[in-house]
């Protein structure tokens, strides 16, 4: 189970880092033209960049605390924060009628929930 949690954590960290870098460094106009980026048309540049920075921090928070063994409880806490972020993404894409993106966000939410459950529970770093 520990190995599955690490694989899921690594996958989610890559997803978060990719999304974060994209939102932080790609111009908003270019994001709006990309598939699934239409939501950025009605969002401010600051909001999009803030989400990008939060996603980069999530990628770091999913991996670094466990690897360096400093406050490893931050791994499941970060996973819970990702769950909340995905709820917001699902609502946003749902309102826009983007059902495939809602399903994708649901998958990310379930992966994050698995990580939070596993790292708070049976495969806790602190226990």
């Amino acid at each position: 189970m520990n190995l599955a949690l690490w694989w899921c954590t690594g996958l989610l960290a890559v997803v978060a880092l990719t999304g974060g870098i994209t939102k932080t460094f790609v111009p908003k106009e270019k994001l709006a033209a990309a598939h699934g980026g239409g939501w950025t048309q009605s969002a401010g540049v600051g909001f999009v960049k803030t989400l990008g920075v939060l996603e980069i921090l999530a990628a770091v928070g999913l991996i670094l605390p466990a690897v360096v063994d400093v406050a490893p409880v931050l791994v499941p806490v970060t996973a819970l924060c990702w769950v909340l972020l995905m709820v917001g993404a699902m609502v946003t894409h749902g309102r826009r009628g983007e059902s495939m993106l809602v399903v994708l966000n649901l998958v990310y939410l379930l992966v994050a929930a698995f990580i939070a459950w596993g790292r708070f529970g049976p495969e806790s770093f602190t226990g």
Side-chain angles (χ1 to χ4, degrees):
M1 173 121 128
N2 187 44
L3 185 59
L5 284 164
W6 272 110
W7 273 101
C8 288
T9 304
L11 172 70
L12 198 60
V14 168
V15 167
L17 186 62
T18 303
I21 288 172
T22 302
K23 288 178 188 76
T24 304
F25 298 109
V26 174
K28 183 182 144 183
E29 297 76 27
K30 203 170 189 178
L31 281 175
H35 174 68
W39 65 271
T40 60
Q41 292 172 338
S42 59
V45 174
F47 179 73
V48 175
K49 301 278 185 220
T50 300
L51 281 178
V53 170
L54 289 174
E55 289 182 12
I56 292 169
L57 290 174
V60 172
L62 284 167
I63 301 293
L64 196 61
V67 169
V68 298
D69 197 28
V70 174
V73 73
L74 290 177
V75 172
V77 169
T78 301
L80 282 179
C81 291
W82 188 264
V83 166
L84 295 175
L85 185 66
M86 289 302 100
V87 168
M90 289 168 62
V91 168
T92 299
H93 291 299
R95 286 181 178 165
R96 295 181 47 80
E98 300 166 337
S99 58
M100 289 305 294
L101 292 173
V102 172
V103 171
L104 182 62
N105 292 140
L106 178 62
V107 170
Y108 295 151
L109 181 148
L110 293 173
V111 171
F114 172 67
I115 294 165
W117 169 79
R119 291 307 181 195
F120 274 132
E123 292 290 336
S124 173
F125 291 120
T126 58

